[in-house]
mmCIF file with all atom_site columns, all heavy atoms in Angstrom:
data_model
loop_
_atom_site.group_PDB
_atom_site.id
_atom_site.type_symbol
_atom_site.label_atom_id
_atom_site.label_alt_id
_atom_site.label_comp_id
_atom_site.label_asym_id
_atom_site.label_entity_id
_atom_site.label_seq_id
_atom_site.pdbx_PDB_ins_code
_atom_site.Cartn_x
_atom_site.Cartn_y
_atom_site.Cartn_z
_atom_site.occupancy
_atom_site.B_iso_or_equiv
_atom_site.pdbx_formal_charge
_atom_site.auth_seq_id
_atom_site.auth_comp_id
_atom_site.auth_asym_id
_atom_site.auth_atom_id
_atom_site.pdbx_PDB_model_num
ATOM 1   N N   . ARG A 1 223 ? 12.227 3.180   0.017  1.00 0.00 ? 223 ARG A N   1
ATOM 2   C CA  . ARG A 1 223 ? 11.838 2.028   -0.524 1.00 0.00 ? 223 ARG A CA  1
ATOM 3   C C   . ARG A 1 223 ? 12.540 0.716   -0.009 1.00 0.00 ? 223 ARG A C   1
ATOM 4   O O   . ARG A 1 223 ? 12.495 -0.371  -0.610 1.00 0.00 ? 223 ARG A O   1
ATOM 5   C CB  . ARG A 1 223 ? 12.099 2.013   -2.122 1.00 0.00 ? 223 ARG A CB  1
ATOM 6   C CG  . ARG A 1 223 ? 11.167 3.069   -2.839 1.00 0.00 ? 223 ARG A CG  1
ATOM 7   C CD  . ARG A 1 223 ? 9.852  2.653   -2.537 1.00 0.00 ? 223 ARG A CD  1
ATOM 8   N NE  . ARG A 1 223 ? 8.823  3.464   -3.248 1.00 0.00 ? 223 ARG A NE  1
ATOM 9   C CZ  . ARG A 1 223 ? 8.357  3.307   -4.521 1.00 0.00 ? 223 ARG A CZ  1
ATOM 10  N NH1 . ARG A 1 223 ? 8.604  2.182   -5.075 1.00 0.00 ? 223 ARG A NH1 1
ATOM 11  N NH2 . ARG A 1 223 ? 7.484  4.014   -5.014 1.00 0.00 ? 223 ARG A NH2 1
ATOM 12  N N   . ALA A 1 224 ? 13.176 0.845   1.143  1.00 0.00 ? 224 ALA A N   1
ATOM 13  C CA  . ALA A 1 224 ? 13.832 -0.291  1.735  1.00 0.00 ? 224 ALA A CA  1
ATOM 14  C C   . ALA A 1 224 ? 12.641 -1.243  2.230  1.00 0.00 ? 224 ALA A C   1
ATOM 15  O O   . ALA A 1 224 ? 11.596 -0.872  2.584  1.00 0.00 ? 224 ALA A O   1
ATOM 16  C CB  . ALA A 1 224 ? 14.679 0.072   2.917  1.00 0.00 ? 224 ALA A CB  1
ATOM 17  N N   . ASN A 1 225 ? 13.035 -2.519  2.138  1.00 0.00 ? 225 ASN A N   1
ATOM 18  C CA  . ASN A 1 225 ? 11.998 -3.608  2.585  1.00 0.00 ? 225 ASN A CA  1
ATOM 19  C C   . ASN A 1 225 ? 12.187 -3.824  4.142  1.00 0.00 ? 225 ASN A C   1
ATOM 20  O O   . ASN A 1 225 ? 13.229 -4.347  4.492  1.00 0.00 ? 225 ASN A O   1
ATOM 21  C CB  . ASN A 1 225 ? 12.183 -4.960  1.828  1.00 0.00 ? 225 ASN A CB  1
ATOM 22  C CG  . ASN A 1 225 ? 11.034 -5.782  1.878  1.00 0.00 ? 225 ASN A CG  1
ATOM 23  O OD1 . ASN A 1 225 ? 10.319 -5.824  2.805  1.00 0.00 ? 225 ASN A OD1 1
ATOM 24  N ND2 . ASN A 1 225 ? 10.731 -6.489  0.735  1.00 0.00 ? 225 ASN A ND2 1
ATOM 25  N N   . LEU A 1 226 ? 11.181 -3.309  4.889  1.00 0.00 ? 226 LEU A N   1
ATOM 26  C CA  . LEU A 1 226 ? 11.404 -3.325  6.243  1.00 0.00 ? 226 LEU A CA  1
ATOM 27  C C   . LEU A 1 226 ? 10.938 -4.684  6.885  1.00 0.00 ? 226 LEU A C   1
ATOM 28  O O   . LEU A 1 226 ? 11.186 -4.870  8.081  1.00 0.00 ? 226 LEU A O   1
ATOM 29  C CB  . LEU A 1 226 ? 10.487 -2.185  6.827  1.00 0.00 ? 226 LEU A CB  1
ATOM 30  C CG  . LEU A 1 226 ? 10.782 -0.725  6.370  1.00 0.00 ? 226 LEU A CG  1
ATOM 31  C CD1 . LEU A 1 226 ? 9.849  0.233   6.909  1.00 0.00 ? 226 LEU A CD1 1
ATOM 32  C CD2 . LEU A 1 226 ? 12.311 -0.463  6.673  1.00 0.00 ? 226 LEU A CD2 1
ATOM 33  N N   . GLY A 1 227 ? 10.215 -5.570  6.149  1.00 0.00 ? 227 GLY A N   1
ATOM 34  C CA  . GLY A 1 227 ? 9.866  -6.767  6.709  1.00 0.00 ? 227 GLY A CA  1
ATOM 35  C C   . GLY A 1 227 ? 8.739  -7.397  5.840  1.00 0.00 ? 227 GLY A C   1
ATOM 36  O O   . GLY A 1 227 ? 8.371  -6.916  4.865  1.00 0.00 ? 227 GLY A O   1
ATOM 37  N N   . TYR A 1 228 ? 8.458  -8.636  6.199  1.00 0.00 ? 228 TYR A N   1
ATOM 38  C CA  . TYR A 1 228 ? 7.490  -9.442  5.476  1.00 0.00 ? 228 TYR A CA  1
ATOM 39  C C   . TYR A 1 228 ? 6.510  -10.125 6.410  1.00 0.00 ? 228 TYR A C   1
ATOM 40  O O   . TYR A 1 228 ? 6.906  -10.466 7.480  1.00 0.00 ? 228 TYR A O   1
ATOM 41  C CB  . TYR A 1 228 ? 8.135  -10.586 4.652  1.00 0.00 ? 228 TYR A CB  1
ATOM 42  C CG  . TYR A 1 228 ? 9.335  -10.240 3.740  1.00 0.00 ? 228 TYR A CG  1
ATOM 43  C CD1 . TYR A 1 228 ? 10.499 -9.905  4.460  1.00 0.00 ? 228 TYR A CD1 1
ATOM 44  C CD2 . TYR A 1 228 ? 9.238  -10.327 2.439  1.00 0.00 ? 228 TYR A CD2 1
ATOM 45  C CE1 . TYR A 1 228 ? 11.591 -9.704  3.522  1.00 0.00 ? 228 TYR A CE1 1
ATOM 46  C CE2 . TYR A 1 228 ? 10.292 -10.073 1.630  1.00 0.00 ? 228 TYR A CE2 1
ATOM 47  C CZ  . TYR A 1 228 ? 11.517 -9.732  2.259  1.00 0.00 ? 228 TYR A CZ  1
ATOM 48  O OH  . TYR A 1 228 ? 12.647 -9.445  1.546  1.00 0.00 ? 228 TYR A OH  1
ATOM 49  N N   . GLU A 1 229 ? 5.285  -10.441 5.892  1.00 0.00 ? 229 GLU A N   1
ATOM 50  C CA  . GLU A 1 229 ? 4.296  -11.124 6.713  1.00 0.00 ? 229 GLU A CA  1
ATOM 51  C C   . GLU A 1 229 ? 3.745  -12.118 5.674  1.00 0.00 ? 229 GLU A C   1
ATOM 52  O O   . GLU A 1 229 ? 3.231  -11.754 4.599  1.00 0.00 ? 229 GLU A O   1
ATOM 53  C CB  . GLU A 1 229 ? 3.308  -10.319 7.260  1.00 0.00 ? 229 GLU A CB  1
ATOM 54  C CG  . GLU A 1 229 ? 3.854  -9.261  8.362  1.00 0.00 ? 229 GLU A CG  1
ATOM 55  C CD  . GLU A 1 229 ? 2.715  -8.456  8.909  1.00 0.00 ? 229 GLU A CD  1
ATOM 56  O OE1 . GLU A 1 229 ? 1.599  -8.614  8.386  1.00 0.00 ? 229 GLU A OE1 1
ATOM 57  O OE2 . GLU A 1 229 ? 2.959  -7.636  9.786  1.00 0.00 ? 229 GLU A OE2 1
ATOM 58  N N   . VAL A 1 230 ? 3.804  -13.412 5.965  1.00 0.00 ? 230 VAL A N   1
ATOM 59  C CA  . VAL A 1 230 ? 3.400  -14.473 5.024  1.00 0.00 ? 230 VAL A CA  1
ATOM 60  C C   . VAL A 1 230 ? 2.333  -15.330 5.746  1.00 0.00 ? 230 VAL A C   1
ATOM 61  O O   . VAL A 1 230 ? 2.588  -15.867 6.823  1.00 0.00 ? 230 VAL A O   1
ATOM 62  C CB  . VAL A 1 230 ? 4.540  -15.349 4.598  1.00 0.00 ? 230 VAL A CB  1
ATOM 63  C CG1 . VAL A 1 230 ? 4.115  -16.361 3.595  1.00 0.00 ? 230 VAL A CG1 1
ATOM 64  C CG2 . VAL A 1 230 ? 5.674  -14.495 4.063  1.00 0.00 ? 230 VAL A CG2 1
ATOM 65  N N   . THR A 1 231 ? 1.143  -15.466 5.111  1.00 0.00 ? 231 THR A N   1
ATOM 66  C CA  . THR A 1 231 ? 0.085  -16.377 5.590  1.00 0.00 ? 231 THR A CA  1
ATOM 67  C C   . THR A 1 231 ? -0.051 -17.514 4.684  1.00 0.00 ? 231 THR A C   1
ATOM 68  O O   . THR A 1 231 ? -0.441 -17.364 3.507  1.00 0.00 ? 231 THR A O   1
ATOM 69  C CB  . THR A 1 231 ? -1.226 -15.632 5.849  1.00 0.00 ? 231 THR A CB  1
ATOM 70  O OG1 . THR A 1 231 ? -1.064 -14.505 6.628  1.00 0.00 ? 231 THR A OG1 1
ATOM 71  C CG2 . THR A 1 231 ? -2.207 -16.579 6.311  1.00 0.00 ? 231 THR A CG2 1
ATOM 72  N N   . MET A 1 232 ? 0.337  -18.744 5.105  1.00 0.00 ? 232 MET A N   1
ATOM 73  C CA  . MET A 1 232 ? 0.165  -19.881 4.179  1.00 0.00 ? 232 MET A CA  1
ATOM 74  C C   . MET A 1 232 ? -1.168 -20.327 3.948  1.00 0.00 ? 232 MET A C   1
ATOM 75  O O   . MET A 1 232 ? -2.094 -19.999 4.804  1.00 0.00 ? 232 MET A O   1
ATOM 76  C CB  . MET A 1 232 ? 1.066  -21.086 4.840  1.00 0.00 ? 232 MET A CB  1
ATOM 77  C CG  . MET A 1 232 ? 2.409  -20.651 5.099  1.00 0.00 ? 232 MET A CG  1
ATOM 78  S SD  . MET A 1 232 ? 3.458  -20.297 3.746  1.00 0.00 ? 232 MET A SD  1
ATOM 79  C CE  . MET A 1 232 ? 3.573  -21.875 2.894  1.00 0.00 ? 232 MET A CE  1
ATOM 80  N N   . ALA A 1 233 ? -1.434 -20.943 2.904  1.00 0.00 ? 233 ALA A N   1
ATOM 81  C CA  . ALA A 1 233 ? -2.855 -21.497 2.692  1.00 0.00 ? 233 ALA A CA  1
ATOM 82  C C   . ALA A 1 233 ? -3.363 -22.478 3.823  1.00 0.00 ? 233 ALA A C   1
ATOM 83  O O   . ALA A 1 233 ? -4.451 -22.592 3.988  1.00 0.00 ? 233 ALA A O   1
ATOM 84  C CB  . ALA A 1 233 ? -2.971 -22.170 1.293  1.00 0.00 ? 233 ALA A CB  1
ATOM 85  N N   . THR A 1 234 ? -2.367 -23.079 4.496  1.00 0.00 ? 234 THR A N   1
ATOM 86  C CA  . THR A 1 234 ? -2.651 -23.943 5.618  1.00 0.00 ? 234 THR A CA  1
ATOM 87  C C   . THR A 1 234 ? -3.133 -23.214 6.832  1.00 0.00 ? 234 THR A C   1
ATOM 88  O O   . THR A 1 234 ? -3.586 -23.838 7.815  1.00 0.00 ? 234 THR A O   1
ATOM 89  C CB  . THR A 1 234 ? -1.356 -24.773 5.935  1.00 0.00 ? 234 THR A CB  1
ATOM 90  O OG1 . THR A 1 234 ? -0.407 -23.988 6.283  1.00 0.00 ? 234 THR A OG1 1
ATOM 91  C CG2 . THR A 1 234 ? -1.047 -25.704 4.727  1.00 0.00 ? 234 THR A CG2 1
ATOM 92  N N   . GLY A 1 235 ? -2.878 -21.897 6.930  1.00 0.00 ? 235 GLY A N   1
ATOM 93  C CA  . GLY A 1 235 ? -3.207 -21.093 8.051  1.00 0.00 ? 235 GLY A CA  1
ATOM 94  C C   . GLY A 1 235 ? -1.888 -20.684 8.852  1.00 0.00 ? 235 GLY A C   1
ATOM 95  O O   . GLY A 1 235 ? -1.955 -19.869 9.754  1.00 0.00 ? 235 GLY A O   1
ATOM 96  N N   . MET A 1 236 ? -0.833 -21.426 8.669  1.00 0.00 ? 236 MET A N   1
ATOM 97  C CA  . MET A 1 236 ? 0.462  -21.114 9.233  1.00 0.00 ? 236 MET A CA  1
ATOM 98  C C   . MET A 1 236 ? 0.899  -19.751 8.858  1.00 0.00 ? 236 MET A C   1
ATOM 99  O O   . MET A 1 236 ? 0.719  -19.332 7.648  1.00 0.00 ? 236 MET A O   1
ATOM 100 C CB  . MET A 1 236 ? 1.473  -22.227 8.980  1.00 0.00 ? 236 MET A CB  1
ATOM 101 C CG  . MET A 1 236 ? 2.794  -21.997 9.830  1.00 0.00 ? 236 MET A CG  1
ATOM 102 S SD  . MET A 1 236 ? 3.890  -23.500 9.593  1.00 0.00 ? 236 MET A SD  1
ATOM 103 C CE  . MET A 1 236 ? 2.840  -24.640 10.626 1.00 0.00 ? 236 MET A CE  1
ATOM 104 N N   . LYS A 1 237 ? 1.559  -19.002 9.770  1.00 0.00 ? 237 LYS A N   1
ATOM 105 C CA  . LYS A 1 237 ? 2.122  -17.647 9.530  1.00 0.00 ? 237 LYS A CA  1
ATOM 106 C C   . LYS A 1 237 ? 3.580  -17.632 9.655  1.00 0.00 ? 237 LYS A C   1
ATOM 107 O O   . LYS A 1 237 ? 4.208  -18.222 10.435 1.00 0.00 ? 237 LYS A O   1
ATOM 108 C CB  . LYS A 1 237 ? 1.414  -16.664 10.325 1.00 0.00 ? 237 LYS A CB  1
ATOM 109 C CG  . LYS A 1 237 ? -0.090 -16.466 10.144 1.00 0.00 ? 237 LYS A CG  1
ATOM 110 C CD  . LYS A 1 237 ? -0.746 -15.426 10.947 1.00 0.00 ? 237 LYS A CD  1
ATOM 111 C CE  . LYS A 1 237 ? -2.206 -15.306 10.710 1.00 0.00 ? 237 LYS A CE  1
ATOM 112 N NZ  . LYS A 1 237 ? -2.831 -14.197 11.518 1.00 0.00 ? 237 LYS A NZ  1
ATOM 113 N N   . MET A 1 238 ? 4.206  -16.719 8.867  1.00 0.00 ? 238 MET A N   1
ATOM 114 C CA  . MET A 1 238 ? 5.649  -16.515 8.959  1.00 0.00 ? 238 MET A CA  1
ATOM 115 C C   . MET A 1 238 ? 5.845  -15.090 8.846  1.00 0.00 ? 238 MET A C   1
ATOM 116 O O   . MET A 1 238 ? 5.247  -14.316 8.067  1.00 0.00 ? 238 MET A O   1
ATOM 117 C CB  . MET A 1 238 ? 6.369  -17.336 7.755  1.00 0.00 ? 238 MET A CB  1
ATOM 118 C CG  . MET A 1 238 ? 7.873  -17.092 7.815  1.00 0.00 ? 238 MET A CG  1
ATOM 119 S SD  . MET A 1 238 ? 8.668  -18.063 6.468  1.00 0.00 ? 238 MET A SD  1
ATOM 120 C CE  . MET A 1 238 ? 8.070  -17.224 4.925  1.00 0.00 ? 238 MET A CE  1
ATOM 121 N N   . THR A 1 239 ? 6.835  -14.522 9.665  1.00 0.00 ? 239 THR A N   1
ATOM 122 C CA  . THR A 1 239 ? 7.305  -13.129 9.597  1.00 0.00 ? 239 THR A CA  1
ATOM 123 C C   . THR A 1 239 ? 8.758  -13.094 9.403  1.00 0.00 ? 239 THR A C   1
ATOM 124 O O   . THR A 1 239 ? 9.541  -13.971 9.902  1.00 0.00 ? 239 THR A O   1
ATOM 125 C CB  . THR A 1 239 ? 6.851  -12.377 10.883 1.00 0.00 ? 239 THR A CB  1
ATOM 126 O OG1 . THR A 1 239 ? 7.505  -12.974 11.998 1.00 0.00 ? 239 THR A OG1 1
ATOM 127 C CG2 . THR A 1 239 ? 5.342  -12.351 11.121 1.00 0.00 ? 239 THR A CG2 1
ATOM 128 N N   . MET A 1 240 ? 9.175  -12.032 8.636  1.00 0.00 ? 240 MET A N   1
ATOM 129 C CA  . MET A 1 240 ? 10.503 -11.785 8.476  1.00 0.00 ? 240 MET A CA  1
ATOM 130 C C   . MET A 1 240 ? 10.787 -10.295 8.972  1.00 0.00 ? 240 MET A C   1
ATOM 131 O O   . MET A 1 240 ? 10.281 -9.418  8.465  1.00 0.00 ? 240 MET A O   1
ATOM 132 C CB  . MET A 1 240 ? 10.993 -11.838 7.028  1.00 0.00 ? 240 MET A CB  1
ATOM 133 C CG  . MET A 1 240 ? 10.799 -13.233 6.353  1.00 0.00 ? 240 MET A CG  1
ATOM 134 S SD  . MET A 1 240 ? 11.556 -13.427 4.811  1.00 0.00 ? 240 MET A SD  1
ATOM 135 C CE  . MET A 1 240 ? 10.871 -15.035 4.179  1.00 0.00 ? 240 MET A CE  1
ATOM 136 N N   . THR A 1 241 ? 11.507 -10.158 10.023 1.00 0.00 ? 241 THR A N   1
ATOM 137 C CA  . THR A 1 241 ? 11.775 -9.000  10.750 1.00 0.00 ? 241 THR A CA  1
ATOM 138 C C   . THR A 1 241 ? 13.232 -8.605  10.438 1.00 0.00 ? 241 THR A C   1
ATOM 139 O O   . THR A 1 241 ? 14.187 -9.276  10.761 1.00 0.00 ? 241 THR A O   1
ATOM 140 C CB  . THR A 1 241 ? 11.606 -9.125  12.215 1.00 0.00 ? 241 THR A CB  1
ATOM 141 O OG1 . THR A 1 241 ? 10.285 -9.666  12.430 1.00 0.00 ? 241 THR A OG1 1
ATOM 142 C CG2 . THR A 1 241 ? 11.731 -7.805  12.938 1.00 0.00 ? 241 THR A CG2 1
#
Side-chain angles (χ1 to χ4, degrees):
R223 293 303 183 93
N225 202 321
L226 303 178
Y228 311 70
E229 296 176 357
V230 183
T231 301
M232 307 296 291
T234 59
M236 185 170 289
K237 296 183 179 181
M238 179 175 71
T239 60
M240 300 187 190
T241 304

